Amino acid sequence: MLKIRNLHVAAEGEAILKGLDLEVAAGEVHAIMGPNGSGKSTLAAVMAGREGYEITEGSIEFLGEDLAGLEPEERAWRGLFLAFQYPVEIPGVTNLEFLRASVDAHRAYRGEEATSAVDFMKLARATSKQLRFDTDFLKRGVNEGFSGGEKKRNELLQMLLLQPKLALLDETDSGLDIDALQIVADGVNTLRSPERAIVMITHYQRLLDHIVPDKVHVLSGGRIVRSGGKELALELERKGYGWLEEAAA
Amino acid sequence: MSETASRTSPKGDEAIDRHLAREYEAGWVTDIESDTLPPGLDEDVVRFISAKKNEPEWMTEWRLEAYRHWLTMDHPNWAHVHYPKIDFNSISYFSAPRSQADGPKSLDEVDPELLRTYEKLGIPLHEQQMLAGVAVDAVFDSVSVATTFKSKLAEAGVIFCSISEALQEHPELVRQYIGSVVPYRDNYFAALNSAVFSDGSFVYIPKGVRCPMELSTYFRINAQNTGQFERTIIIAEEGSHVSYLEGCTAPQRDENQLHAAVVELVAHKDAKIKYSTVQNWYPGDSEGKGGIYNFVTKRGLCAGERSHISWTQVETGSAITWKYPSVILRGDDSVGEFYSVALARGRQQADTGTKMIHLGKNTKSTIISKGISAVKAENSYRGLVRIAPTADGARNFTQCDSLLIGDQCGAHTFPYIESRNPNATVEHEATTSKVSDDQLFLCRQRGLDPEKAVSMIVNGFCKEVFRELPMEFAVEAGKLLEISLEGAVG
Ligand SMILES: Nc1ncnc2c1ncn2[C@@H]1O[C@H](COP(=O)(O)OP(=O)(O)OP(=O)(O)O)[C@@H](O)[C@H]1O
Ligand SMILES: [Mg+2]
């Protein structure tokens, strides 16, 4: 599903990713861990097509297509979803209208009719309930005045409504309380299926107790320096990243 | 548009008939054969206009006084709008409505950009032709609707007609109110308008009457040819209510570059007037050529206790807009409101705002202004809140937000507060924000194309104002912003 080869990325002339390789097959769940500033969010942003990053070498292939020539919305329509580390606010635009516009844009791409207001409301309510997210949040401005945890839950709501093929979760667990973590993890697990893949960026082993990954990678200094099974995360928890950085250097 | 009524034409149904056969005659010239004056302005021109319209003598005299006063005034110079000096002698102040011979022969001769916009707004072909100024055999499918509205209004005792007609049918009312809120001395363009006004609407709501429908100038065919100097008067007697809609979301083309309208509102005791405008004059082609200069004086007088005047406006058109809907709060406990969205893009310049003049006790005013600048546009808000010594307990709240799209546009805010009463409260809040890359990226990641994303963000920014518009207008206004912002990003 996803093939990243020798990816080099620079922002403002500064190299951030320096030869990154990653392959994710349909049905798999991967976790990416790594020290602060190592380039995890950059990787996610580049995959989603954010401006301001230059791919100086290498390629990203998603569902057999090179992403380089595609606009962010075109990647989204093909099923690539990014849950942001820091979701932004859009004042005055209600969550409900935003979600509906988003869902309808995806439907239009697939040649399906727009949702009816009533049907969509029902769906949005049911999905909110699933995340134990008060339906009042549907009426509020997108992320407007939401707490950190509420913003993360709102990202999940968007993800479940869009049912992406590849979900990139950038520290979706950060800032969640213990109960919320469980709810969010349950939500992500409902998305697991043989046709979909999930890539989670996280700093904490505890998320991986709830969403058990098939593979764990360590990103450091702009490259994947170690990959392994779920036990790698436990090892990191004990030893930190120092030993890997030394090994890589 | 649901329950809306048109300005009734001179002589009612006959006028509609005339429209149907407008090849040989049209518009507001009722009795005299119409013709066109050569460009230029002097006292004879003023007299000629008045005579053509068969006006009472006092009206002619008033126009002449206005004209003489105008001669003594200097052309205003505003800091933030720039345009070539207008040569008032190059304008024709009385022109007969166009015949088949003038204007574009077909839509093929019309700016394709304009046509594209009409299509997006879903305007039917024959209306596209009318808006673009193509002479057509009018297909007046709204005749029966118009007559129903008129009989409903008449039943309620509401007068809704053109100023020309009002001068024939209700001269005393016009005499009592014209210039009572905006005297001709008020400003340069008000003086000019008073001398040469072409036509406009007249509305009178009797005591205790709630106008049974929203009154709208946008009654497509009928609203044509009011000319460049429009004059509107709305009077709400004690305890009455009226909601008036002006304008049209479709960009209107007009060969007259200068528009200088005057609108006067009078709300008596316990009366309420709500005046909503969606203005979308042709801003000109991509180089700004052919765009309209719109200099408008709009003012309401809250004459009685607990009277209420509310201005809501959405401005997206014009090459240049200069406009300050204002309220004089004379009655105790009266309320003035101003809700505005002004969008300027391309080379447009907008200088708008409001004045709230508090004279009565416990008077209250609210100003919500949303300015949007895109590409290279300049958008200025200028607001005056004046609290007179007599206005004990007066309160004002002003919120002034600017949104920038792109790096080369500007927003300017000039709040003027003159409080001469220590018991008054004046609050002012101002913000400037940008449509951020993060917001755009979030929207695009969720599948919205950049134009849809910007229009959604902008609509969110305008929400507080759109909420004040009548439902149908609000929807159209949203759509209009979306179209106006096309090409502003990317
Ligand atoms: N647009 C940009 N311009 C300049 N530098 C950038 C840009 N984006 C990221 N960087 C830099 O690239 C490096 C990697 O940043 P990134 O956000 O990808 O780290 P991260 O691994 O997600 O860190 P964290 O764990 O703290 O979230 C940092 O040093 C950051 O300052
Ligand atoms: Mg990060």
Side-chain angles (χ1 to χ4, degrees):
Chain A
M1 167 164 300
L2 177 71
K3 289 190 181 120
I4 301 178
R5 289 197 194 94
N6 189 32
L7 186 67
H8 290 252
V9 170
E12 287 165 25
E14 207 61 45
I16 302 173
L17 299 182
K18 303 162 188 165
L20 183 143
D21 293 286
L22 180 67
E23 269 195 44
V24 179
E28 290 181 346
V29 174
H30 289 223
I32 296 178
M33 305 182 81
N36 292 132
S38 58
K40 302 181 298 296
S41 295
T42 302
L43 173 63
V46 169
M47 284 168 67
R50 203 191 155 116
E51 279 169 32
Y53 295 97
E54 195 195 343
I55 297 183
T56 50
E57 227 185 302
S59 65
I60 308 171
E61 200 184 286
F62 174 53
L63 295 170
E65 209 176 351
D66 190 339
L67 288 183
L70 296 180
E71 296 292 334
E73 59 274 22
E74 294 172 322
R75 303 178 191 204
W77 298 334
R78 284 160 174 76
L80 192 144
F81 180 92
L82 169 59
F84 290 87
Q85 183 174 4
Y86 305 108
V88 289
E89 306 193 358
I90 309 181
V93 176
T94 67
N95 228 355
L96 187 71
E97 66 182 302
F98 179 70
L99 294 169
R100 187 165 169 217
S102 169
V103 166
D104 282 345
H106 282 80
R107 293 177 69 94
Y109 173 72
R110 296 193 296 261
E112 297 165 13
E113 268 182 36
T115 53
S116 84
V118 177
D119 289 349
F120 186 76
M121 186 69 170
K122 276 188 197 146
L123 179 66
R125 283 214 174 129
T127 315
S128 297
K129 285 230 176 74
Q130 184 190 339
L131 291 168
R132 278 179 256 158
F133 199 36
D134 197 316
T135 47
D136 280 355
F137 285 102
L138 293 173
K139 289 181 234 150
R140 286 180 43 186
V142 176
N143 295 323
E144 207 180 343
F146 287 21
S147 76
E150 286 162 354
K151 285 182 181 169
K152 294 299 174 71
R153 240 191 265 201
N154 204 28
E155 294 292 291
L156 252 284
L157 174 60
Q158 293 164 41
M159 183 185 85
L160 292 183
L161 285 170
L162 292 172
Q163 294 284 309
K165 298 220 171 66
L166 174 63
L168 304 170
L169 308 178
D170 192 354
E171 295 197 27
T172 303
D173 54 329
S174 301
L176 291 178
D177 66 40
I178 297 159
D179 293 340
L181 182 68
Q182 180 69 57
I183 293 163
V184 163
D186 290 347
V188 173
N189 282 325
T190 63
L191 205 72
R192 280 184 99 146
S193 86
E195 304 89 62
R196 298 181 208 285
I198 297 166
V199 174
M200 303 178 288
I201 294 168
T202 183
H203 287 295
Y204 306 108
Q205 159 59 30
R206 53 169 200 172
L207 176 72
L208 308 182
D209 290 339
H210 296 284
I211 311 169
V212 182
D214 300 301
K215 284 191 182 131
V216 176
H217 310 275
V218 178
L219 204 171
S220 181
R223 302 173 52 190
I224 303 286
V225 295
R226 170 81 52 126
S227 297
K230 59 179 190 285
E231 37 341 299
L232 177 57
L234 294 166
E235 197 177 353
L236 292 171
E237 185 109 307
R238 282 201 315 274
K239 298 204 213 159
Y241 295 114
W243 61 287
L244 286 172
E245 280 169 14
E246 279 157 30
Chain B
M1 211 159 277
S2 58
E3 287 253 300
T4 50
S6 76
R7 166 195 318 74
T8 55
S9 309
K11 304 261 161 68
D13 293 348
E14 281 168 38
I16 293 167
D17 292 338
R18 263 201 308 280
H19 267 296
L20 288 165
R22 65 202 279 274
E23 273 163 48
Y24 53 91
E25 202 196 58
W28 31 255
V29 185
T30 48
D31 298 340
I32 316 169
E33 277 250 333
S34 59
D35 50 10
T36 302
L37 273 182
L41 183 54
D42 58 23
E43 290 204 5
D44 286 340
V45 168
V46 176
R47 281 201 186 84
F48 177 89
I49 296 169
S50 196
K52 274 287 185 190
K53 297 162 88 59
N54 192 26
E55 289 176 352
E57 208 181 305
W58 59 263
M59 191 73 257
T60 316
E61 278 310 307
W62 192 77
R63 283 177 180 272
L64 285 168
E65 281 169 33
Y67 172 71
R68 286 168 200 144
H69 187 75
W70 179 73
L71 288 177
T72 68
M73 299 173 95
D74 285 325
H75 194 290
N77 240 328
W78 297 295
H80 279 273
V81 283
H82 309 279
Y83 58 95
K85 220 168 147 50
I86 299 164
D87 177 6
F88 291 94
N89 278 318
S90 71
I91 298 170
S92 167
Y93 291 85
F94 187 90
S95 59
R98 269 162 282 149
S99 72
Q100 294 283 75
D102 311 323
K105 302 276 180 300
S106 75
L107 284 177
D108 298 341
E109 292 175 27
V110 174
D111 183 356
E113 270 302 299
L114 194 65
L115 295 181
R116 219 167 55 85
T117 309
Y118 289 156
E119 260 154 42
K120 296 221 157 140
L121 283 167
I123 293 168
L125 195 70
H126 70 274
E127 287 185 22
Q128 291 187 22
Q129 293 173 320
M130 283 182 290
L131 288 164
V134 177
V136 285
D137 296 326
V139 183
F140 204 114
D141 49 10
S142 316
V143 178
S144 58
V145 189
T147 16
T148 323
F149 281 149
K150 273 166 60 185
S151 66
K152 256 201 198 173
L153 287 176
E155 247 169 65
V158 171
I159 303 170
F160 182 33
C161 62
S162 69
I163 286 269
S164 305
E165 192 189 358
L167 276 162
Q168 305 305 315
E169 310 288 329
H170 314 280
E172 286 318 305
L173 275 177
V174 178
R175 187 172 193 175
Q176 188 182 343
Y177 287 102
I178 195 166
S180 70
V181 187
V182 181
Y184 58 71
R185 283 182 194 81
D186 193 79
N187 67 67
Y188 192 77
F189 290 105
L192 180 63
N193 174 290
S194 302
V196 299
F197 68 87
S198 31
D199 212 334
S201 301
F202 182 81
V203 176
Y204 179 84
I205 317 290
K207 189 169 165 178
V209 170
R210 222 168 230 281
C211 188
M213 64 200 65
E214 264 155 10
L215 304 181
S216 169
T217 47
Y218 177 37
F219 203 71
R220 296 153 177 186
I221 295 179
N222 258 354
Q224 277 191 332
N225 286 328
T226 33
Q228 53 194 139
F229 301 102
E230 204 168 331
R231 185 113 197 166
T232 296
I233 301 175
I234 300 177
I235 301 139
E237 290 284 11
E238 188 176 327
S240 67
H241 279 231
V242 63
S243 169
Y244 185 88
L245 313 180
E246 178 203 18
C248 153
T249 49
Q252 274 174 293
R253 248 175 65 90
D254 195 313
E255 75 257 35
N256 299 315
Q257 193 171 39
L258 172 68
H259 281 250
V262 171
V263 177
E264 300 178 274
L265 313 181
V266 181
H268 290 287
K269 196 171 153 188
D270 294 308
K272 177 165 184 181
I273 302 177
K274 188 169 169 57
Y275 193 108
S276 312
T277 310
V278 173
Q279 193 77 76
N280 188 19
W281 289 113
Y282 187 55
D285 63 16
S286 51
E287 272 137 47
K289 228 179 89 201
I292 303 282
Y293 296 178
N294 194 21
F295 303 115
V296 189
T297 308
K298 288 182 163 176
R299 193 173 304 151
L301 172 64
C302 280
E305 293 161 28
R306 294 175 301 278
S307 52
H308 187 152
I309 289 180
S310 176
W311 298 103
T312 306
Q313 61 174 33
V314 177
E315 292 279 350
T316 65
S318 302
I320 297 175
T321 303
W322 175 85
K323 176 168 165 178
Y324 295 87
S326 309
V327 184
I328 300 167
L329 297 143
R330 195 170 73 196
D332 290 347
D333 300 294
S334 59
V335 177
E337 291 168 328
F338 176 73
Y339 300 96
S340 166
V341 166
L343 180 144
R345 58 162 293 195
R347 292 173 187 279
Q348 280 179 284
Q349 306 174 62
D351 193 329
T352 66
T354 185
K355 293 178 199 162
M356 293 289 173
I357 313 295
H358 291 256
L359 304 175
K361 292 187 181 52
N362 303 315
T363 45
K364 203 178 133 197
S365 63
T366 303
I367 299 170
I368 309 282
S369 161
K370 305 275 181 179
I372 303 153
S373 323
V375 197
K376 289 184 175 168
E378 295 291 321
N379 210 334
S380 304
Y381 168 84
R382 229 178 271 276
L384 168 69
V385 177
R386 180 181 293 153
I387 315 266
T390 48
D392 284 326
R395 275 185 300 157
N396 162 267
F397 174 74
T398 300
Q399 185 188 320
C400 200
D401 301 321
S402 308
L403 185 70
L404 306 180
I405 305 171
D407 304 324
Q408 290 187 58
C409 50
H412 314 269
T413 306
F414 307 92
Y416 305 95
I417 298 164
E418 297 171 11
S419 182
R420 293 199 285 149
N421 188 310
N423 296 321
T425 320
V426 179
E427 284 176 75
H428 179 92
E429 286 175 11
T431 65
T432 301
S433 49
K434 274 194 68 168
V435 173
S436 75
D437 292 344
D438 286 341
Q439 287 172 328
L440 273 177
F441 184 57
L442 166 62
C443 292
R444 296 180 71 181
Q445 212 306 299
R446 297 302 183 253
L448 307 181
D449 63 57
E451 280 173 356
K452 176 78 191 152
V454 168
S455 94
M456 184 169 242
I457 294 166
V458 170
N459 267 294
F461 173 76
C462 301
K463 193 139 282 181
E464 285 155 287
V465 174
F466 285 178
R467 206 163 44 205
E468 296 297 322
L469 287 171
M471 184 59 182
E472 299 242 346
F473 242 35
V475 174
E476 287 189 34
K479 215 153 103 185
L480 176 58
L481 278 194
E482 185 169 338
I483 291 166
S484 308
L485 282 168
E486 271 183 13
V489 279

